[in-house]
Amino acid sequence: MANVAVIGAQWGDEGKGKVVDWLASRAEIVVRFQGGHNAGHTLVVGDQTYKLSLLPSGVVRGKLGIIGNGVVLDPDALLAEIAKVGAQGLKVSPENLRIAENTPLILPVHPALDKAREAARGDAKIGTTGRGIGPAYEDKVGRRAIRLCDLAEPETLSAKLDQLLLHHNALLRGLGAPQFQKQPLLDALLALAPKLLPYSEAVWERLDEAHATNKRVLFEGAQAVMLDVDHGTYPYVTSSNTVAGNAAAGAGVAPNAIGMVLGIAKAYTTRVGSGPFPTELHDEIGQGLGARGREFGTVTGRPRRCGWFDACMVRQAVKVGGINGIALTKLDVLDGITELKICTGYSINGQVFKRLPAAAGAQAAAQPIYEVMEGWTQSTYGARSYAELPAAAVKYVRRIEELVEAPVVLLSTSPERDDTITLRDPFAG
Ligand code: IMP
């Protein structure tokens, strides 16, 4: 049995939570390897709805959750999330959650800088979640991050805070934002230490052992390939690599331990925040998708921009993301639309492209080239087999497979975990 990595194939919010939850029931360990509490995964389990941001989804199913070193961890957000799910009856403790000792922390300076910078950018803002994700990753590669293991060494922590504040206060001063004092930050971190350190360990050792003993591991991606810091619509991206390759570096495992890579794609496209979106719809069809698909951000509550399925972009995500199979979600949201469009390429300044070029100007100018397909009037909501789908819906799915050059292995037809059509078992490789 292979391991499975799940990544988003568009701009996030593809319904990874449900698919990960479905797969988590068959894994022994679920690992987050990038992102932070900018992610929002909604899981519906019976009459409970869990909204997770940092916790690996597997904890809801009684599995071991691991937060890998590739994540940026906000300690307050983590403890608040543990308390929130605790109030729903789900106990999270060092028994079912382990955190890599080398995980960089998000401190209050990070959201402060994130927000001050966004405000200074005015109309050119990225539209970040304001959670401090970008500044925390900058500190990691700038070699001044405070990491979980530092909480066990008060002297190291104190010296590192000096370095961190030297950098951040200079920036905050320049942006006209309030600066931070060291002592309150140090006191807060030292107070957090006994709560967080019991979760800390060298998770690479545990994952190495899991590999050696053939335990099934699920790598749970956050955000999506088009938000990848290298491969996405830069600079309108998040600050981590969201492609499957980062599951190895962000968890501390070998690339060949990843196994099958499942890309999650919605049957249409959405995006939150700023940035290019060639198939965006500004008409009543777009509004209809938003209303029927309940397209509001899990983390920020912002309405999502909606548009037609962009096969050209998902094909690109399949190639750079290492995707071997697609889980197509929210097909039912298209029920009742008489004519559907799929983007197969772009016209950019009179030239035809079969990929989205990297330059920001070209991306902004990209006009979609559409193929029109017949829609269906019947409901696909809750379908659990291919036979229950109208012929036009099957044709739509088949055409997507051809265009994105990857098979659809799962089809999700409602938020309920069991309303899933399985065409191939991802754990079978
Ligand atoms: P950041 O990750 O907060 O820096 O935000 C950068 C960009 O990524 C913004 O456009 C956000 O809306 C987007 N983003 C971050 N996390 C998610 C997510 O979980 N789903 C969808 N978009 C996200």
Side-chain angles (χ1 to χ4, degrees), residues 11-13 38-40 126-130 133-134 223 227 237-238 272-273 302:
W11 278 296
D13 312 310
N38 50 348
I126 307 286
T128 72
T129 59
I133 305 295
Q223 293 86 45
L227 289 170
V237 292
T238 192
V272 270
R302 293 180 288 181

Side-chain angles (χ1 to χ4, degrees), residues 29-52:
I29 301 178
V30 181
V31 187
R32 277 282 306 269
F33 57 89
Q34 48 72 230
H37 65 314
N38 50 348
H41 291 173
T42 305
L43 280 76
V44 181
V45 182
D47 57 357
Q48 288 281 8
T49 299
Y50 296 97
K51 289 191 186 292
L52 306 182

Side-chain angles (χ1 to χ4, degrees), residues 230-291:
D230 285 295
H231 300 289
T233 45
Y234 191 90
Y236 299 100
V237 292
T238 192
S239 299
S240 61
N241 284 115
T242 56
V243 291
N246 195 27
V253 300
N256 63 7
I258 294 170
M260 160 97 186
V261 180
L262 189 62
I264 318 295
K266 257 183 227 183
Y268 49 101
T269 312
T270 63
R271 168 161 213 176
V272 270
S274 322
F277 182 173
T279 63
E280 183 169 12
L281 290 167
H282 298 283
D283 57 10
E284 66 281 5
I285 297 183
Q287 284 158 15
L289 292 174

Side-chain angles (χ1 to χ4, degrees), residues 305-351:
R305 301 154 66 192
C306 298
W308 294 119
F309 188 82
D310 189 340
C312 183
M313 191 183 81
V314 174
R315 177 181 167 276
Q316 194 161 327
V318 163
K319 305 291 176 187
V320 300
I323 292 168
N324 320 113
I326 296 280
L328 196 67
T329 62
K330 293 189 141 180
L331 186 68
D332 56 287
V333 174
L334 300 180
D335 293 354
I337 304 178
T338 45
E339 198 173 70
L340 301 169
K341 291 184 180 168
I342 300 181
C343 173
T344 58
Y346 312 104
S347 166
I348 303 176
N349 303 324
Q351 229 190 309

